[in-house]
Amino acid sequence: MRVIIIKMKPKIILCLALVLGGFIVGCKDKEAGKALTESEINRSVAVTLINWGILGPIPQVDPEYTRMEKSVARQIHGVRGFAESDDFHGDGTDWYEVEFSPELAAELRSDLNRSPDFKKSKPMYYLNNDKSPSWWPTRWPADTQVYEKNLGYFVLPDSGTRAWFMQIRT
């Protein structure tokens, strides 16, 4: 009987190591988030604006949708972007700071102001929280308008081409 116990010890030790290793990996602090590349920012903001229907009818098939996406993304310069996730089914928050072409900025202001599909407000406390990246504004330009739809908050001043976008993923 003593021989069997000795032979099983390495197996037991290996099993315990695997279980404990999996437990430690599962419980360790997850990376708080990741910085996004300019192309990731451009594409993500373009896709959101298209899917919101603010830039006209949404093409239902390719290659028309891809053409529209690329056309809109070319008019966006991603300044900064950050994605935070709680690793639960993709839940998290994305923050973007972008510079639009003057034409796209003017089109968005006009279309967003006329659209009944968006809740319009001034910047509020919910735009800032303890997970916001350090570059995310805590004070907004005086002429700033927030357009809200589907847990997306599009922050666009009445002038200039700079804008911010925060999307909560659930």
Side-chain angles (χ1 to χ4, degrees):
M1 193 67 154
R2 186 150 172 83
V3 174
I4 294 174
I5 293 174
I6 292 173
K7 287 185 178 181
M8 290 181 66
K9 277 187 179 180
K11 290 180 184 178
I12 291 172
I13 291 171
L14 179 61
C15 289
L16 285 174
L18 290 173
V19 168
L20 288 175
F23 179 73
I24 290 168
V25 167
C27 293
K28 74 175 184 152
D29 288 339
K30 299 292 181 181
E31 182 181 55
K34 76 170 196 151
L36 302 173
T37 66
E38 181 179 354
S39 62
E40 289 173 317
I41 297 166
N42 297 354
R43 182 184 179 285
S44 185
V45 173
V47 166
T48 298
L49 293 173
I50 291 168
N51 289 340
W52 277 358
I54 199 64
L55 298 173
I58 303 169
Q60 298 301 311
V61 294
D62 259 335
E64 289 82 13
Y65 184 90
T66 301
R67 253 186 256 141
M68 184 177 194
E69 178 186 313
K70 288 179 180 179
S71 172
V72 174
R74 277 192 299 271
Q75 298 178 69
I76 300 170
H77 167 66
V79 177
R80 290 180 265 220
F82 188 77
E84 171 272 323
S85 179
D86 66 4
D87 292 329
F88 184 74
H89 302 291
D91 292 359
T93 307
D94 302 325
W95 292 270
Y96 306 97
E97 181 176 8
V98 296
E99 194 79 37
F100 291 123
S101 70
E103 298 79 19
L104 182 57
E107 180 181 353
L108 287 170
R109 272 188 200 92
S110 173
D111 293 348
L112 287 165
N113 280 321
R114 286 194 321 258
S115 176
D117 297 334
F118 295 86
K119 178 181 176 187
K120 298 165 186 77
S121 64
K122 290 291 179 189
M124 302 275 289
Y125 67 91
Y126 53 77
L127 288 176
N128 300 91
N129 62 50
D130 60 343
K131 293 182 180 182
S132 302
S134 60
W135 51 263
W136 186 254
T138 55
R139 296 183 59 169
W140 300 94
D143 64 348
T144 299
Q145 183 72 47
V146 178
Y147 302 91
E148 178 184 343
K149 183 174 183 178
N150 302 333
L151 297 177
Y153 303 89
F154 189 65
V155 183
L156 184 65
D158 288 340
S159 59
T161 56
R162 182 71 46 118
W164 298 265
F165 179 64
M166 181 178 81
Q167 179 73 46
I168 299 172
R169 292 176 277 110
T170 59

